[in-house]
Amino acid sequence: MSAIKETYNVLPRLTFRWVKANELLLNTMEVNEEKEYTYKSLVGEGYRNRTNEDLPLSAEFKGVNDRMLVMADQKPNAGLFIHLQENEEQNLHITHLLGRENNTLIEKNIIVLEKGSKMNLIMDYTSDDSETFSNILNKISVAEDAELNIIKIQRLNSLSRHLESRYSTVLEKGRVNYISVEIGGKETVVNYMTDLLGNESEGHVKNVYLGFGERILDLSHHMNHFGKRTNSDMIFKGALKDKSKKAFRGTLDFKNGSTHSEGNEEEFTILLSPKVKSYAIPLLLCREDDVIGNHAASNGQIDEEKLFYIMARGFSENEAKKIIIESHIRPIIDLIPVESIKNIILEAVEKELTGE
């Protein structure tokens, strides 16, 4: 008897069914929504435990899927209200450690930045060797000339399912800069939507991912340009090995009124095995004149001449591959302003690449 499948990350504009890229199907999971959860640590200012604070969602935003979105929105067992006043600047480091007694995280964060404020936020998700489940909803509002920088590190074990839905609105000259590092989990599904509402607002997403074993990564990002002279980019870089599977669904949507705006999306995957599957579905939607939209996606194996060159200098094949992959993702990791976080990521990447 086959397991019941549940649909995730449906494309906003469907393509041919035979491509098998319109959505992700995963086995349905029963989740204990009454399970308590405890943070490992919260270091910084500008937050308190969330109570009744909330933000609206766009009717277009479906998150990873309806059931998980409703679960995180209505029955969270964790979550913060992060609120920065006008021209305030804060740093916050949230560390999650999921484990045998702390195995279910249903998190809802409300993040509000008032005019001219700046927040640097680190969200770190890790686990022991137990099977865990995490379902996160982040609702974000960035006011005029405010800046939100989120660095997310997901390095859960290979038994865990990790889901994140993130919806953001950005007003005039506001900026959101998202760096996501997805190098763990058995099944990782993320869905981001950013509405650039104000003139000259900006949205930037950088993503690093690694797929090993039979890991599934499904990454959906939707950038809506509403205001004039808005700017966005989405850059995704990663590597796949063994029988892992990755899908990238990136959408640039230029709405009426977004004249003189520019958006770019780029995705490149290094394939380390003939058995991996890599889908890239970049979409470009446009309802406005005088805009610039660029998209590119490519998959490729490691260059044999480059591999030979490095091995000729005394490195083993595995060491040479590690150097090539690290150089591929390093430009994104180097954007992280905290040296200790860089080291955490590089150590986790090395562990995945070497299997140690």
Side-chain angles (χ1 to χ4, degrees):
M1 182 176 178
S2 60
I4 298 174
K5 298 289 185 178
E6 191 169 10
T7 303
Y8 290 85
N9 275 358
V10 178
L11 270 177
R13 299 292 187 275
L14 299 182
T15 184
F16 299 106
R17 287 186 179 181
W18 57 265
V19 179
K20 298 182 179 180
N22 284 327
E23 73 281 311
L24 171 68
L25 296 177
L26 294 178
N27 292 338
T28 298
M29 285 185 66
E30 294 299 323
V31 180
N32 181 1
E33 298 178 14
E34 306 303 321
K35 183 80 173 180
E36 293 184 357
Y37 179 81
T38 304
Y39 289 94
K40 180 183 179 183
S41 66
L42 296 165
V43 179
E45 301 292 338
Y47 75 92
R48 59 181 169 81
N49 289 332
R50 187 193 57 79
T51 52
N52 297 319
E53 299 83 6
D54 211 343
L55 288 170
L57 292 172
S58 166
E60 289 187 12
F61 182 64
K62 307 301 181 185
V64 293
N65 73 13
D66 289 340
R67 184 169 81 96
M68 293 298 125
L69 186 63
V70 170
M71 179 191 298
D73 199 24
Q74 298 183 4
K75 295 186 177 181
N77 62 7
L80 303 175
F81 177 51
I82 299 170
H83 186 197
L84 267 63
Q85 303 294 336
E86 187 170 332
N87 296 321
E88 183 180 5
E89 183 171 344
Q90 293 291 354
N91 300 301
L92 177 60
H93 188 162
I94 305 171
T95 303
H96 295 273
L97 176 58
L98 284 81
R100 195 171 307 278
E101 301 300 324
N102 206 36
N103 60 10
T104 302
L105 169 61
I106 307 172
E107 182 182 18
K108 178 180 178 180
N109 296 309
I110 304 299
I111 304 172
V112 178
L113 271 62
E114 304 292 355
K115 182 178 179 180
S117 62
K118 181 178 179 180
M119 164 62 81
N120 298 312
L121 176 59
I122 297 171
M123 297 175 164
D124 186 6
Y125 298 86
T126 187
S127 65
D128 61 16
D129 58 359
S130 308
E131 181 178 353
T132 71
F133 171 84
S134 47
N135 178 22
I136 294 98
L137 172 60
N138 290 305
K139 295 183 178 182
I140 296 167
S141 174
V142 176
E144 298 174 41
D145 204 32
E147 180 178 341
L148 174 61
N149 301 304
I150 294 183
I151 300 167
K152 176 197 173 187
I153 310 149
Q154 187 273 111
R155 49 198 175 105
L156 300 170
N157 64 48
S158 58
L159 301 173
S160 299
R161 178 175 292 188
H162 176 80
L163 314 170
E164 185 195 359
S165 303
R166 185 184 298 184
Y167 175 69
S168 313
T169 60
V170 189
L171 298 185
E172 184 174 353
K173 294 185 179 180
R175 296 170 298 281
V176 292
N177 303 302
Y178 298 149
I179 298 176
S180 294
V181 181
E182 305 285 355
I183 53 178
K186 178 182 179 182
E187 298 148 342
T188 296
V189 186
V190 300
N191 188 297
Y192 292 2
M193 177 177 283
T194 303
D195 284 352
L196 300 176
L197 301 177
N199 296 339
E200 299 183 49
S201 55
E202 298 181 20
H204 305 283
V205 179
K206 310 285 193 302
N207 187 290
V208 168
Y209 57 85
L210 294 177
F212 293 87
E214 296 186 0
R215 181 175 297 164
I216 295 173
L217 297 121
D218 205 278
L219 313 171
S220 177
H221 294 257
H222 195 131
M223 195 73 68
N224 289 316
H225 290 255
F226 287 93
K228 294 180 175 64
R229 298 178 300 280
T230 52
N231 182 273
S232 74
D233 60 50
M234 294 184 280
I235 300 175
F236 290 69
K237 293 186 176 184
L240 302 177
K241 188 180 177 183
D242 305 320
K243 296 181 180 180
S244 58
K245 176 183 176 182
K246 176 234 70 186
F248 163 71
R249 299 180 176 87
T251 301
L252 291 173
D253 196 343
F254 295 95
K255 306 289 190 178
N256 289 330
S258 62
T259 183
H260 303 305
S261 294
E262 181 173 354
N264 301 280
E265 55 181 326
E266 173 187 338
E267 198 265 352
F268 181 69
T269 307
I270 295 177
L271 308 178
L272 300 173
S273 166
K275 296 182 179 181
V276 301
K277 292 184 178 180
S278 178
Y279 299 96
I281 311 100
L283 293 179
L284 180 57
L285 307 175
C286 189
R287 300 176 179 85
E288 185 55 82
D289 297 325
D290 199 11
V291 298
I292 299 173
N294 302 303
H295 60 78
S298 59
N299 298 312
Q301 298 178 346
I302 286 179
D303 185 283
E304 292 296 331
E305 291 186 5
K306 187 182 294 184
L307 187 65
F308 176 79
Y309 178 86
I310 297 174
M311 291 176 65
R313 276 142 184 81
F315 293 95
S316 68
E317 182 176 353
N318 285 338
E319 289 172 333
K321 287 181 178 178
K322 173 181 171 292
I323 291 171
I324 292 171
I325 293 170
E326 187 174 310
S327 67
H328 173 60
I329 63 177
R330 190 68 192 243
I332 294 178
I333 294 175
D334 282 343
L335 295 174
I336 297 171
V338 184
E339 200 66 31
S340 61
I341 298 301
K342 287 185 188 178
N343 293 333
I344 288 173
I345 295 169
L346 291 173
E347 288 172 6
V349 168
E350 182 172 2
K351 179 181 178 181
E352 291 289 352
L353 291 174
T354 60
E356 297 177 357

